[in-house]
Amino acid sequence: MQDASLTESQQDTTTSPSSPSSSSASGGRQSVRGALRQADGFDAQAALLEPVQRRARSVGQGRGAQAGAVQLRAVQMEEAPVATPHADAALEQVGAGTGGAETTSPAEQAPTITVPQSYDAYVAHIENKFAGDIAHLRQLQQTFASKTQESEVQATKVDAKKAELKQLAEKYKAKKDSLSDEESARKRALELMQPFEGMTMAKLHEEATGLLAKHKNAKIEDKADLNALEGIMYATLELMKDIDPESSGFGRELYSVKIDEVENAALVTKAAAEGMPPAQVAELSVNYRTWARVWMRTVIMNNNQVAAENLFLRDLGRSGREAGESPQTILSKIFAKKKEKWGFDEDLTFDEATEEQKLKVYEGMIESAQKTNAGANAGLMGPSNHSTNNTTETGPGGNTGGSGPTGGGGNTGQ
């Protein structure tokens, strides 16, 4: 295989650097969601955080609904799921519902490789490995749902924590290096969410869809609008935490610590030990991060699809894809930084790099995929519940400014 064969055509797939693109799910996005729900081991109709009477969904079919404000309503048990276009797009991008086919051909895959190499296989592994945590999270969510009226949830507004921001700002002003990495990330998150003080979740979605529509539902280059989109993400997470702090905090710890920091890293290490080529290991590390974030938003946050859509919109605006940046994009960014560090000509292609230089890029991809959104962690989990080395996220769905959802992300799945 050629290490440099991560091609631009693979950016919307989960294929490996050395293999042709895997086929995406056929049919409409609604069928993708349906296939995933039928395939997962849980009762999709008893989706998390809610009995049927308080399910929140975005109304409207397909991408035509993106620019409008979200409508929230109750649904009956037998009613078909309402379309969530950005979640469905992300599922297509990661290859959900494609039968669990691996991302390498038998000729290329060593028989000893046992780690999951497709989205469906990864989800099956995570849901088996963390079945106890998922069951506990569901119980927390169901307990909350049983004692809370949907009208209260819909009416809850963003509290941008002005007093907390003032305290952090004063501490920073007194001594610029007085803030910890977590405090710095939290300060930036609070600053970005200030314009969204007093907004409901539906209003945040309206703001996000308006921003994306302004940029034709593509990657946003304007810095001010990117900051606004980040603010919407942080406001969404803050609102989720204020509405249901127990399940939001536990869900974030499950995603960012147990799965992202620990399990994904263990799987990547295992893949390398089993003889997977370095280029493939690097891509898999990025995919694991992406897959965890998409799973978190489409399965764990299935009760709160409005919030999930806000997070998918954030990734769409930052990377041009609801699922976040592809392995090829991450490779290109890291290689560009390495070239600058090494003093190489900016026109040098990855094919022209030495094997040692390529290995450095692959290592950078793995390191990037292991960084989670410090701003989201500090807000949802608090400073004592997560590691302190996760500062600025530059991996899939990454945030370049003190922050990613999904994954949460990013990316709950931020």
Side-chain angles (χ1 to χ4, degrees), residues 252-269:
R252 183 70 192 184
E253 184 176 5
L254 172 62
Y255 161 72
S256 67
V257 178
K258 293 184 178 182
I259 295 176
D260 212 358
E261 292 184 14
V262 179
E263 184 62 18
N264 285 353
L267 289 173
V268 169
T269 300

Side-chain angles (χ1 to χ4, degrees), residues 163 306 358 363:
V306 182
K358 290 176 182 177
E363 290 171 4

Side-chain angles (χ1 to χ4, degrees), residues 80-95:
V82 178
T84 51
H86 296 288
D88 295 334
L91 286 168
E92 286 187 3
Q93 289 160 11
V94 298

Side-chain angles (χ1 to χ4, degrees), residues 1 36-37 93 98 111 126 133 257 269 346 360 386 407 412:
M1 64 167 271
L36 182 67
R37 286 176 177 139
Q93 289 160 11
T98 58
I126 291 300
D133 288 305
V257 178
T269 300
E346 63 179 16
K360 292 294 184 182
H386 58 96
T412 55

Side-chain angles (χ1 to χ4, degrees), residues 44-67:
Q45 290 292 349
L48 298 179
L49 287 183
E50 42 86 36
V52 175
Q53 289 77 10
R54 58 183 308 276
R55 180 178 307 237
R57 298 189 184 280
S58 57
V59 174
Q61 297 292 331
R63 290 192 178 269
Q66 292 173 9

Side-chain angles (χ1 to χ4, degrees), residues 143-405:
T143 298
F144 168 79
S146 68
K147 62 183 182 181
T148 309
Q149 295 295 318
E150 178 63 24
S151 58
E152 296 177 38
V153 174
Q154 294 181 29
T156 304
K157 297 179 179 180
V158 174
D159 175 1
K161 308 296 190 296
K162 293 182 182 297
E164 182 184 354
L165 175 58
K166 182 179 179 181
Q167 184 179 33
L168 289 171
E170 289 175 349
K171 184 177 180 181
Y172 176 78
K173 185 178 179 180
K175 188 178 180 182
K176 290 189 176 182
D177 61 354
S178 62
L179 298 183
S180 66
D181 289 343
E182 289 175 336
E183 289 174 324
S184 294
R186 177 62 172 167
K187 176 175 174 288
R188 174 170 171 77
L190 290 170
E191 288 169 344
L192 291 177
M193 74 172 72
Q194 292 305 306
F196 307 101
E197 170 81 25
M199 291 190 182
T200 63
M201 193 70 78
K203 180 61 177 174
L204 289 172
H205 187 274
E206 183 180 350
E207 292 288 318
T209 53
L211 270 175
L212 266 296
K214 177 182 175 182
H215 295 274
K216 304 186 185 304
N217 289 316
K219 184 177 179 179
I220 297 174
E221 302 294 343
D222 181 80
K223 185 175 181 180
D225 284 350
L226 275 177
N227 283 339
L229 197 58
E230 290 296 296
I232 291 172
M233 177 190 72
Y234 287 125
T236 294
L237 298 177
E238 195 74 16
L239 191 52
M240 288 176 60
K241 181 192 72 173
D242 288 347
I243 290 171
D244 183 10
E246 282 194 88
S247 65
S248 294
F250 186 84
R252 183 70 192 184
E253 184 176 5
L254 172 62
Y255 161 72
S256 67
V257 178
K258 293 184 178 182
I259 295 176
D260 212 358
E261 292 184 14
V262 179
E263 184 62 18
N264 285 353
L267 289 173
V268 169
T269 300
K270 185 178 181 182
E274 291 178 341
M276 180 177 282
Q280 204 171 321
V281 173
E283 185 191 29
L284 202 59
S285 70
V286 176
N287 281 336
Y288 282 161
R289 178 70 193 283
T290 299
W291 295 345
R293 190 172 61 252
V294 171
W295 169 78
M296 200 74 189
R297 295 175 186 175
T298 57
V299 176
I300 300 302
M301 292 178 63
N302 193 45
N303 71 294
N304 198 342
Q305 292 177 331
V306 182
E309 285 286 281
N310 289 352
L311 302 177
F312 281 124
L313 283 165
R314 179 263 186 177
D315 283 349
L316 175 60
R318 288 203 63 86
S319 70
R321 299 200 321 156
E322 287 88 345
E325 295 187 83
S326 67
Q328 171 60 34
T329 303
I330 300 298
L331 183 149
S332 298
K333 286 185 175 182
I334 292 176
F335 184 52
K337 291 180 180 179
K338 294 290 186 184
K339 284 193 295 185
E340 184 177 358
K341 178 180 178 181
W342 295 331
F344 290 170
D345 190 303
E346 63 179 16
D347 294 328
L348 180 75
T349 67
F350 189 71
D351 284 331
E352 296 170 323
T354 67
E355 291 305 308
E356 183 179 359
Q357 290 163 351
K358 290 176 182 177
L359 286 174
K360 292 294 184 182
V361 173
Y362 299 146
E363 290 171 4
M365 292 174 67
I366 293 171
E367 291 172 2
S368 171
Q370 292 175 346
K371 294 179 181 178
T372 57
N373 191 316
N377 290 344
L380 283 171
M381 290 163 35
S384 62
N385 293 344
H386 58 96
S387 61
T388 59
N389 61 348
N390 295 327
T391 53
T392 300
E393 181 185 6
T394 56
N399 184 343
T400 59
S403 158

